[in-house]
Structures are given as C-alpha cells and as structure tokens.
Amino acid sequence: MEVSIVVPCYNEESSIMVFWEKISSICTQNNIEFEIIFVDDGSTDYTLSKIKELTQKNHNIRYASLSRNFGKDAAILAGLKKVQGNYCAVMDVDLQDPPELLPQMLEAIKNPEIDCVETRRESRIGEPAIRSFFAKAFCKIMNAISNVHITDGIRDFRLMKQNVLDAVISIQESNRFSKGLFSWVGFKTICITYPNTKRINGISKWSFWSLFKYAANGIISFSTLPLYIPLIFGALLLLVGTVGFIYCLLYLKSISTPFYLFFITFMFGFNFLFIGFLGLYLAKIHTETQKRPLYIIREEN
Ligand code: UDP
Ligand code: MG
C-alpha cells in the first residue's frame, strides 16, 4: 500500500460519498495505490452506515468508530494507529483539504531529504471575520510564547513518512493539539499553499466556544509562560513597594497615606512573588506529566 489516508468524520453523512468519489477518482487517475481509514468520531447521524456501505463495496476502506465524540485530534490519533501504508495522509472529509494536491504531495515526499509535506491555505475567504481574527491572534500568541511554530492557515492536512508517524504516535499526552504536535516532532517539512475552499456539505463542527477551548488547550499544552507572569509582576510590585517605603521613611518622616500605599504594594508584591514560585514548580510538574520524548532521532547508523 502506497498511502493510507486518515479521515476523521463527525456527523458527515452528506460528505462521505462525495469525498470517496473525489479521492478515488484522483488516486485512480494518478496511479496511486491507496487506502482510506475513516474514523467515525461518535457521529449521531448516518455517517457510520455510509462508511460501512462503502466498505462492503471497496476493499481499500477500513474504519474505526469511536464510542462517543472525542474530538478531531483523538479521532486522528485513532486513525494514525491503524496506518499500514508507506506514507500516511490526514485529510478532512468535507473536501476543504483539496485531494487534488495529493499527487503533488506524494511527488515531493519521495525526496529522501523530506519527511513531511504540510499544507496551508493562503487566504481565509469565506470564513466568518471574527473567526479569522481570533485564529490569527491565536497564531501570534502561540508563536510568541511557545516552543512550536504555528503558521497562520496551516492545516492538519499533511502527508508524512513512517518516522514522523511513529514520532507523533509516541507522544502519549491526552490533551492532544495535533498542529502543535506535528510542529513539535520536527523533521524535514515542506509546505504547499492553496486558496481556501468551502465545505461541500454540512456545517463546520466548531462553535466559537469549542474553538476557544481548542486554542486555550493548545497554548497550555505548549507554553508554561503564563505561569511565570505572577513572578515578574510580583518582583515589580516588590521593587516599587520597597523604593516607595524607603522614600517615605527618609523624606516624609511620618506614617501617612503614601506610606500605607507603598506598604500594601510591597505586601502584594510578596504574595505575587510566591504565587510565581508556585508557578515555577507547577510548570515543572506540567512538563514532566506530559512525558514527551526527550529527543527524536531522524537518522542514525
Ligand atoms: N471532526 C471530527 N470530530 C469533531 C469535529 C470535527 O472528527 O469533533 C472532523 C470533521 O468531520 C471534518 C474535520 O474534522 O472531517 C474538520 O472539521 P470541520 O470541517 O467542522 O472544521 P473546520 O473546517 O470548520 O475547521
Ligand atoms: Mg471543514
């Protein structure tokens, strides 16, 4: 098998058949030997029935159906663990990840110097403005405070070699933010850009609230910097409080209002400083509990 394509699906009864027609025609035209691994992420509509219907007629479709809705990232992991092909692709079922790019991606990954081909939509045309705004802000914050780089418009749609696949699966943490994990594992990656495409059928599964939780989870999984804020804030307050306190003692020579204000500032600084220290220990515990591999080898003899 040349390529296994992992496709997470949640309430996608109207997209499954269209997706299958499209992907199979493209792969057949380009002589790509492929299999589809559908992951039904606890759909409550006829998604699973449609998948089973396809499995009966086609030998190159496998599926896993999750016991409830676990979210796209968990569904992707379930699919990745079933991969048997030489290369592994991840793709949405709503055709927002254009299957037409697959031949080009396969061509690129055959280069021994490349381990992963990722994709990025170069525009967000058709997306609600508020969602674009927050998505862009999220990328900026993430890149500023974490140790992974998330390019604006980057998709989960990618093609990878076995080494990248193994590395992603080896990460055991349960709060999985796939885009971050793909970036975190490293490897030689190239990016193909394409214009944004609209969903073929159905609606986006992300509400504003679920996207907010997704973004917050991403930041917490890849940055402990917020835990350092009280430390910096506390140190500043302590400094202001101490300087003010000394000034009052030297020049005012009486216990007046400024004296109390600086005293309160000093005490707040003290509190924040200790919360900051707790944050430092918490950050250590946080990274330890994630149990990420200490390193990933790309090549050795
Ligand atoms: N999806 C999933 N589980 C979820 C939400 C979404 O498996 O809880 C799948 C969905 O069926 C689709 C892909 O993830 O194949 C992307 O979802 P969607 O199109 O709703 O996201 P958007 O394109 O709006 O970011
Ligand atoms: Mg979509």
Side-chain angles (χ1 to χ4, degrees):
M1 188 68 57
E2 189 176 15
V3 54
S4 299
I5 306 168
V6 172
V7 188
C9 309
Y10 177 52
N11 290 347
E12 299 282 8
E13 57 182 11
S14 53
S15 305
I16 302 271
M17 294 295 174
V18 193
F19 171 80
W20 167 252
E21 300 284 331
K22 184 90 184 177
I23 193 83
S24 54
S25 90
I26 286 168
C27 289
T28 316
Q29 276 165 27
N30 292 279
N31 288 323
I32 300 170
E33 200 203 349
F34 76 106
E35 69 166 352
I36 303 285
I37 301 171
F38 284 114
V39 183
D40 163 38
D41 185 14
S43 300
T44 49
D45 64 357
Y46 288 102
T47 299
L48 183 59
S49 316
K50 299 267 178 195
I51 294 173
K52 282 183 175 168
E53 200 181 314
L54 282 176
T55 345
Q56 277 154 15
K57 293 182 203 144
N58 304 279
H59 63 96
N60 56 343
I61 300 180
R62 290 189 292 137
Y63 72 89
S65 180
L66 308 188
S67 60
R68 64 165 172 87
N69 179 244
F70 282 92
K72 185 182 177 185
D73 296 279
I76 290 178
L77 179 67
L80 294 181
K81 287 189 176 175
K82 284 176 75 72
V83 166
Q84 289 171 351
N86 295 339
Y87 304 114
C88 163
V90 177
M91 203 182 267
D92 287 359
V93 74
D94 58 7
L95 293 182
Q96 282 196 292
D97 296 333
E100 295 86 354
L101 293 182
L102 200 61
Q104 189 190 342
M105 292 162 81
L106 265 167
E107 209 44 51
I109 211 166
K110 284 178 183 156
N111 180 342
E113 287 307 311
I114 289 170
D115 303 309
C116 181
V117 182
E118 60 181 17
T119 63
R120 178 180 161 260
R121 49 179 179 174
E122 60 196 0
S123 66
R124 290 179 170 274
I125 296 162
E127 189 182 74
I130 184 98
R131 185 170 164 175
S132 302
F133 172 79
F134 280 107
K136 284 188 177 139
F138 167 72
C139 288
K140 286 211 174 97
I141 296 173
M142 193 75 174
N143 294 337
I145 69 170
S146 78
N147 55 357
V148 290
H149 186 84
I150 310 285
T151 317
D152 179 37
I154 207 84
R155 304 284 297 173
D156 289 327
F157 178 29
R158 61 193 60 229
L159 182 68
M160 55 197 134
K161 282 185 180 155
Q162 192 68 43
N163 52 2
V164 183
L165 178 65
D166 289 343
V168 172
I169 292 178
S170 76
I171 299 173
Q172 290 170 10
E173 70 198 64
S174 40
N175 286 310
R176 296 182 80 85
F177 175 66
S178 297
K179 286 187 184 70
L181 294 178
F182 283 128
S183 163
W184 188 86
V185 295
F187 292 99
K188 309 259 187 260
T189 304
I190 58 159
C191 184
I192 295 178
T193 51
Y194 65 90
N196 194 25
T197 39
K198 280 195 173 167
R199 209 173 217 287
I200 34 159
N201 282 315
I203 50 160
S204 169
K205 304 299 173 303
W206 298 93
S207 63
F208 185 79
W209 176 235
S210 62
L211 274 174
F212 178 80
K213 282 197 293 184
Y214 179 72
N217 178 43
I219 291 174
I220 291 167
S221 293
F222 288 94
S223 177
T224 48
L225 202 77
L227 290 171
Y228 289 69
I229 296 172
L231 195 74
I232 301 162
F233 190 57
L236 279 176
L237 286 186
L238 210 62
L239 188 73
V240 173
T242 314
V243 171
F245 202 61
I246 295 170
Y247 172 85
C248 287
L249 283 180
L250 292 180
Y251 296 101
L252 299 182
K253 295 193 172 82
S254 69
I255 297 182
S256 53
T257 312
F259 177 89
Y260 285 116
L261 283 178
F262 284 120
F263 181 69
I264 292 169
T265 312
F266 180 85
M267 290 314 282
F268 266 110
F270 220 66
N271 269 322
F272 275 107
L273 200 71
F274 274 93
I275 294 172
F277 280 130
L278 287 180
L280 290 186
Y281 286 93
L282 196 61
K284 275 259 176 276
I285 297 169
H286 177 65
T287 40
E288 288 292 333
T289 52
Q290 282 179 319
K291 289 200 196 120
R292 289 201 187 135
L294 293 188
Y295 53 82
I296 293 165
I297 294 176
R298 177 175 182 265
E299 212 180 308
E300 61 185 333
N301 76 350

